[in-house]
Amino acid sequence: MDIRPEILVLVLACALVTVLPRVLPLVVLARVQLPALVMDWLRYVPLSVLAALLTLELMGTGLAGLIAIAAALAIAWASGSLLGTVVAGVALFRLLA
Amino acid sequence: MSAATFRSGARAGLPVVLGYLGIGIAAGVVERSAGLSYAEVLLLSTVLYAGSAQFVVASMLTLGNPAPAIVATVFLLNLRHLLLSAALAPALRKVPAWKNALIGLQLTDETFVVASGRSTLTAAWMAGLNLAAWSTWAAANLLGAALSGAAGDTRALAFALPCMFAGLLVLQAKAVQERWVLFAVLGVSAAVAGVLRLVSPGPQAIILSTVLGATAGLFAAQWTSAPKSSS
């Protein structure tokens, strides 16, 4: 039930190296006007990071995962509902896997 | 657009909440199996609050890795938040720095994408989104820890993560007008991630893919569009 000292130190160290990249740009860059080119580049970051994360996830899930994600993409496109996409995707993966 | 209140922020976070329930339970199961106590699971999920990093911590602890190696891996893995935080900054220009710092503390891939669809954000809306996601995450981790003995297959639950990525990706993609820009970003990012995963798997794959994908989008936009007025 207790927190071991070595685990406490480990979690705090992990949190520190996580918090810095999370917080610093928000605090610093919200103060300055970025060049238009940088703003345009930043606009593509969400799509880009999602494509990378999804690709990496899918490379470990096999055929069932690929089918379920293909369906999830179609459902998301048709419905525009994130919630419906997650529920349907998980249910389909459960059926197939 | 609905008023940017705490309540509407929390409501916008509903899909993330649901996804975090699934992934959080899976994380709790894995963390408990790695020998962490309930208190340690709570500490990890509330203070570190980073899904993929928590899976990595649990698996590296199980494998007996030394703490410095675990911290270094978590650092590399979470370095991508630099990009997300920077991308969110312009929409939060009017928010005081100390509030932005608090908002940044709870920045995740999923809440970022939910928030990045909006042109202006308020601190209250972000707090609603963040606290809904954060409290769900902690509760789900604890639930997973409690279920770890009984839980059979958590793979289906953990599949909420790629489903959430897929849904968020489509929502983001719909907002991009130029088709070639979309193809460039998605194609380059996915291809780089795929190749890196095969050649040298590791947390740097996400960062490199993201940077190259966004840069490809920039080039595609410059090439395809007639000279456009800036911003």
Side-chain angles (χ1 to χ4, degrees), chain B residues 18-198:
Chain B
L18 200 90
Y20 277 10
L21 264 180
I23 310 155
I25 289 173
V29 171
V30 172
E31 287 152 9
R32 191 87 175 103
S33 326
L36 296 177
S37 70
Y38 285 105
E40 287 163 351
V41 168
L42 186 63
L43 179 78
L44 194 64
S45 55
T46 52
V47 176
L48 179 55
Y49 181 51
S52 47
Q54 287 176 224
F55 280 103
V56 166
V57 168
S59 87
M60 287 185 83
L61 276 176
T62 310
L63 296 171
N65 282 280
I70 300 178
V71 175
T73 306
V74 167
F75 173 66
L76 281 177
L77 188 63
N78 285 338
L79 207 54
R80 70 180 184 282
H81 290 110
L82 270 179
L83 304 175
L84 311 186
S85 181
L88 216 50
L92 287 163
R93 187 159 283 137
K94 292 190 184 122
V95 175
W98 67 273
K99 282 189 182 173
N100 271 343
L102 288 178
I103 289 168
L105 279 180
Q106 294 178 317
L107 181 66
T108 68
D109 296 306
E110 294 80 15
T111 54
F112 162 74
V113 180
V114 169
S116 69
R118 303 169 70 99
S119 55
T120 50
L121 296 164
T122 65
W125 192 90
M126 284 302 300
L129 171 68
N130 282 344
L131 287 174
W134 181 76
S135 51
T136 306
W137 178 252
N141 269 256
L142 280 181
L143 190 59
L147 291 172
S148 74
D153 188 13
T154 54
R155 277 183 65 225
L157 283 176
F159 198 72
L161 186 65
C163 288
M164 190 143 55
F165 291 153
L168 291 168
L169 188 141
V170 168
L171 297 190
Q172 285 282 318
K174 279 184 163 178
V176 176
Q177 301 296 328
E178 314 91 329
R179 195 186 307 159
W180 290 109
V181 173
L182 183 62
F183 289 164
V185 176
L186 296 183
V188 169
S189 179
V192 173
V195 170
L196 284 179
R197 157 86 199 241
L198 296 174

Side-chain angles (χ1 to χ4, degrees), chain A residues 1-15 17-27 29-34 36-62 64-66 68-69 72-74 76-83 85-90 93-94 97, chain B residues 15 18 35-40 43-44 47-50 61 67 70-71 74-75 78 81-87 89-90 92-93 95 97 100-101 104-105 107 109 112-113 116 155-156 159-174 176 181-182 185-186 189-190 193-194 197-198 206 209-211 213-215 217-218 221-222 228:
Chain A
M1 264 312 81
D2 293 333
I3 294 174
R4 287 163 283 173
E6 67 269 27
I7 296 291
L8 179 65
V9 171
L10 174 69
V11 173
L12 289 180
C14 286
V17 299
T18 300
V19 158
L20 291 177
R22 272 178 175 170
V23 168
L24 282 181
L26 260 178
V27 172
L29 296 183
R31 301 298 108 195
V32 297
Q33 179 67 50
L34 294 168
L37 196 68
V38 178
M39 295 282 286
D40 281 342
W41 188 82
L42 289 174
R43 208 166 295 142
Y44 302 125
V45 164
L47 260 179
S48 195
V49 76
L50 283 168
L53 290 169
L54 186 61
T55 304
L56 294 172
E57 281 289 321
L58 282 185
M59 288 179 81
T61 55
L66 290 178
I69 285 301
L73 287 169
W77 193 270
S79 72
S81 161
L82 201 49
L83 200 60
T85 303
V86 172
V87 172
V90 170
F93 182 72
R94 215 196 137 80
Chain B
L18 200 90
L36 296 177
S37 70
Y38 285 105
E40 287 163 351
L43 179 78
L44 194 64
V47 176
L48 179 55
Y49 181 51
L61 276 176
I70 300 178
V71 175
V74 167
F75 173 66
N78 285 338
H81 290 110
L82 270 179
L83 304 175
L84 311 186
S85 181
L92 287 163
R93 187 159 283 137
V95 175
N100 271 343
L105 279 180
L107 181 66
D109 296 306
F112 162 74
V113 180
S116 69
R155 277 183 65 225
F159 198 72
L161 186 65
C163 288
M164 190 143 55
F165 291 153
L168 291 168
L169 188 141
V170 168
L171 297 190
Q172 285 282 318
K174 279 184 163 178
V176 176
V181 173
L182 183 62
V185 176
L186 296 183
S189 179
R197 157 86 199 241
L198 296 174
I206 304 172
S209 318
T210 303
V211 166
T215 307
L218 203 57
Q222 299 290 324
K228 57 168 186 173

